Amino acid sequence: MKKRNLFVVCTVLLALSVGPLLAKGVEEQAPQAPQKAATLTIGVSQEAVGLDPHIVTAFSSMRRIDLLYSRLVRLDENMKVVPDLAESWEIPNNLTYIFHLKKGVKFHNGREMVASDVKYSLERVLDPATASPGRSYISSISKIDVLDDYTVKLTLSAPLASLLDALTSNNISIVPKEAVEANGNLQRVAVGTGPYMLKEWVVDNSMTLVKNPDYFEKGLPLTDTVIFRVIPEEASLYAGVKSGNLDLATINDGATIRQASADKSVVVMSKPGMNVRVFSFNNEKKPFDDVRVRQAVALALDRSEILTMAEYGMGAATGPIPISAKEWAIPPDQLPFGKPDYAKAKQLLAEAGYPNGFSFDIVCSSTYEGGLAVAQVIQNELKNIGLTANLDVVEWGNYIDRWVKRDFSTMVELRGGSSEPDRFLFRSLHSTGGVNNFMFKDAQTDKLLELGREQTVPAERKATYDELQRVLSEKVPLVFLYSPNENQVLSPYVKGFKQVGNGSLYYVTTAQVVK
């Protein structure tokens, strides 16, 4: 009996001593809760050329400005106008817009943003001395009144159907006067009200943004730090996401996107874009001052082949209005000079005095935006009508400088498009347009552009823009080629990111890396 009792006691003691060890082992093997990373790293192929939202046009700059500045209103992931700095607005008549601002919004320097800042910012954009590309968007604003600290009234000289859409542009961001006066401009500093603040900029290497603790959207941004890393090779961007060194990358190269799409270790997001690849003419330089020459070139270009060769088919052929803007766009093959016709092209060249063709330069850059791959296809296609195109391949900074100075005969560009035709076309092709780098001046085009922006009846606007698309296709100040897809390659650990058709990275604000 004593032996039996001794056995029981030993068994109990053993169980008591081993039990905690077993429990500890089970506890150690239990799955850990997902961990949120403090930093999200974005890979980009091009360096920003500046950060002044009222001055810059380069996509590389705009993608940083998406996170640094705010506007009265912005576009959501469905390209719909939603509140940003304005909490609401009224349109008592088609010449008056009254915006009610959110209270307590702070600039990155700590000062509250008020209605006088809206007035200053819009007036800076409208000032010809600023040379803002956004001026054409809002040129109908004739008066800006501050009704109180949180209310501003805009009075128009004529109806502007596109005004709300225009105010979503980064070029119409709200900035503090004192920051502009202290620095001359905002190209190397950032004092916005956006979700992130500029911490460090190592040119041609990286840009570090940190969370704005006073951002007016409660609970956002979700990630403390965002780092942009400049990696010129798009295949290297993909490799960076795959290896985990990057969390997200905007990749435009079609071959790389195809490869990434077949890779289960990354996530590819792709949607039809609003931007437009174009082949530009300087309409004041011979021989492109002759419409017959421009028409001949248009008839030599095969959009389908260019899209296949340069983008691996990742996009859609377009006319003057981005093809994704289905409400407005006419497909190029339904417009004059929208399909290849070599015989007609040669006839036009002969009529213009060039029966044996001629040679000229195409300015381009090896960056995606600079369009070298597109220029190479165009160069080959133009041989079909006896034209010799020499590629003037320049580095990115020089490309921008040539573009600004209109220092080219022809150029491959990527233009920022919009689902609102006035916003896209007026600034590009009106004789007073802020980015009419084509030096195109045409009374008929001006008249249609002015009419379209003032009309408020949808059916009437549609008829005007239908006619405008035909006129532009006949006069060919440039050749509209295609709209590339918007592509992002992400780590599977990135949650909450949403794409916008214009390429905006605003929704990095709602993204986080969760492992």
Side-chain angles (χ1 to χ4, degrees), residues 48 68 106 115 127 205 214 232 264 286 312 325 373 383 461 497:
L68 294 167
K106 292 182 180 181
D127 184 352
N205 184 296
D214 297 318
K264 293 182 179 180
K286 291 186 177 298
Y312 284 76
K383 293 176 182 177
R461 290 193 83 210
F497 178 74

Side-chain angles (χ1 to χ4, degrees), residues 205-276:
N205 184 296
S206 66
M207 180 181 289
T208 301
L209 312 182
V210 294
K211 180 178 181 176
N212 175 8
D214 297 318
Y215 186 50
F216 53 87
E217 293 289 355
K218 188 175 180 180
L220 297 178
L222 296 180
T223 300
D224 294 339
T225 304
V226 170
I227 300 174
F228 285 88
R229 294 204 179 281
V230 181
I231 302 173
E233 294 296 326
E234 300 219 335
S236 298
L237 289 173
Y238 163 50
V241 176
K242 186 175 175 65
S243 68
N245 291 323
L246 301 175
D247 300 306
L248 182 154
T250 297
I251 296 179
N252 301 292
D253 178 63
T256 304
I257 289 296
R258 282 186 175 236
Q259 184 180 0
S261 296
D263 186 344
K264 293 182 179 180
S265 70
V266 300
V267 175
V268 176
M269 298 178 69
S270 185
K271 71 189 306 183
M274 283 291 172
N275 301 322
V276 180

Side-chain angles (χ1 to χ4, degrees), residues 168-181:
T168 68
S169 169
N170 282 348
N171 289 139
I172 319 294
S173 295
I174 307 306
V175 305
K177 180 179 181 179
E178 65 269 23
V180 176
E181 291 180 340

Side-chain angles (χ1 to χ4, degrees), residues 58 87 100 125 145 286 338 402 471 507:
E87 64 180 6
H100 302 281
V125 171
D145 293 309
K286 291 186 177 298
R402 298 274 294 272
V471 168
Y507 285 103

Side-chain angles (χ1 to χ4, degrees), residues 141-348:
I141 296 177
S142 59
K143 190 178 182 184
I144 304 169
D145 293 309
V146 173
L147 303 186
D148 59 46
D149 278 352
Y150 306 106
T151 313
V152 62
K153 182 174 79 170
L154 309 183
T155 302
L156 310 184
S157 59
L160 181 58
S162 63
L163 180 63
L164 284 177
D165 189 89
L167 292 173
T168 68
S169 169
N170 282 348
N171 289 139
I172 319 294
S173 295
I174 307 306
V175 305
K177 180 179 181 179
E178 65 269 23
V180 176
E181 291 180 340
N183 296 281
N185 60 43
L186 301 173
Q187 288 290 62
R188 295 295 162 186
V189 297
V191 189
T193 57
Y196 286 94
M197 303 183 295
L198 178 63
K199 178 182 179 182
E200 182 183 41
W201 185 2
V202 181
V203 176
D204 292 329
N205 184 296
S206 66
M207 180 181 289
T208 301
L209 312 182
V210 294
K211 180 178 181 176
N212 175 8
D214 297 318
Y215 186 50
F216 53 87
E217 293 289 355
K218 188 175 180 180
L220 297 178
L222 296 180
T223 300
D224 294 339
T225 304
V226 170
I227 300 174
F228 285 88
R229 294 204 179 281
V230 181
I231 302 173
E233 294 296 326
E234 300 219 335
S236 298
L237 289 173
Y238 163 50
V241 176
K242 186 175 175 65
S243 68
N245 291 323
L246 301 175
D247 300 306
L248 182 154
T250 297
I251 296 179
N252 301 292
D253 178 63
T256 304
I257 289 296
R258 282 186 175 236
Q259 184 180 0
S261 296
D263 186 344
K264 293 182 179 180
S265 70
V266 300
V267 175
V268 176
M269 298 178 69
S270 185
K271 71 189 306 183
M274 283 291 172
N275 301 322
V276 180
R277 178 70 73 183
V278 303
F279 185 54
S280 306
F281 303 111
N282 185 326
N283 286 245
E284 291 186 345
K285 287 192 174 183
K286 291 186 177 298
F288 301 107
D289 59 341
D290 190 324
V291 67
R292 294 169 297 186
V293 172
R294 302 196 301 269
Q295 289 172 340
V297 172
L299 289 171
L301 300 184
D302 184 335
R303 290 171 172 83
S304 178
E305 182 179 60
I306 295 171
L307 187 56
T308 299
M309 298 295 290
E311 302 276 357
Y312 284 76
M314 301 286 181
T318 192
I321 294 177
I323 198 67
S324 294
K326 299 183 185 299
E327 179 183 358
W328 305 101
I330 299 176
D333 59 3
Q334 297 177 24
L335 292 168
F337 303 96
K339 293 184 288 189
D341 187 336
Y342 300 149
K344 178 66 174 176
K346 291 176 180 179
Q347 178 187 334
L348 286 166

